[in-house]
Amino acid sequence: MKTYTISEVAKELNLTVYTLRYYDKEGLMPFVERTHSGNRLFKESDLSALKVIECLKATGMPIKEIKNFIDWCSEGDATLQQRYDMFLERRANVEAQMEELRKTMEVIEHKCLYYKTALEAGTEDIHKEDKIEINS
């Protein structure tokens, strides 16, 4: 079975060693074994768990809630419903973020077209009705 050092894991997941130590301190990595000298030894399954942690973090989930999830995983089948419900909530959260990003992209696309046509015309005056007036 292949094992990884904290530096190798940091490089593999594009994280810092500091971040991994912080996760450990916050109780997000109770599954990671240690050598006799106290160094962390990561297995392939630990990398998979860290990818899930990073995924949850990317959804905006606070570390405290991620810790709850890790605790539920440790408790086994008794917490399957809680974990399922949590992922349903995360999905809804990400869908809302995606909708907001879609709206943001619409504005950006509009402004790209606005400035492209203004550049082609050599003036912004072709958009007089769209122009934002800034009074000094």
Side-chain angles (χ1 to χ4, degrees):
M1 172 178 63
K2 180 160 174 45
T3 59
Y4 303 86
T5 65
I6 194 168
S7 297
E8 291 170 329
V9 171
K11 185 176 181 182
E12 175 75 22
L13 299 179
N14 199 26
L15 298 170
T16 65
V17 169
Y18 170 81
T19 298
L20 291 169
R21 287 186 181 129
Y22 172 72
Y23 287 175
D24 196 21
K25 183 176 82 77
E26 292 298 315
L28 301 184
M29 303 186 323
F31 43 80
V32 174
E33 295 175 16
R34 289 186 180 258
T35 64
H36 293 298
S37 56
N39 294 326
R40 294 168 188 88
L41 271 184
F42 294 84
K43 301 180 302 282
E44 203 63 48
S45 60
D46 299 337
L47 271 68
S48 296
L50 284 164
K51 288 175 184 175
V52 172
I53 290 168
E54 282 301 292
C55 172
L56 293 173
K57 200 170 143 240
T59 70
M61 180 180 261
I63 294 290
K64 181 181 172 187
E65 289 181 32
I66 296 173
K67 167 80 167 84
N68 288 339
F69 169 70
I70 297 297
D71 291 345
W72 289 338
C73 291
S74 298
E75 292 174 28
D77 289 349
T79 62
L80 283 172
Q81 186 68 52
Q82 289 98 316
R83 289 182 273 162
Y84 176 67
D85 292 345
M86 185 207 73
F87 273 100
L88 289 176
E89 181 185 318
R90 287 291 97 199
R91 182 173 64 188
N93 184 277
V94 169
E95 286 170 346
Q97 290 173 342
M98 289 170 60
E99 179 60 21
E100 284 302 309
L101 284 173
R102 189 191 60 70
K103 290 176 185 175
T104 299
M105 184 58 91
E106 284 178 7
V107 172
I108 290 170
E109 290 293 342
H110 171 76
K111 294 313 270 181
C112 285
L113 181 62
Y114 174 95
Y115 287 111
K116 180 181 181 209
T117 56
L119 280 167
E120 288 168 354
T123 179
E124 212 176 344
D125 287 346
I126 63 165
H127 297 296
K128 276 195 188 282
E129 68 279 353
D130 294 337
K131 198 169 168 186
I132 297 170
E133 296 293 329
I134 300 173
N135 299 322
S136 313

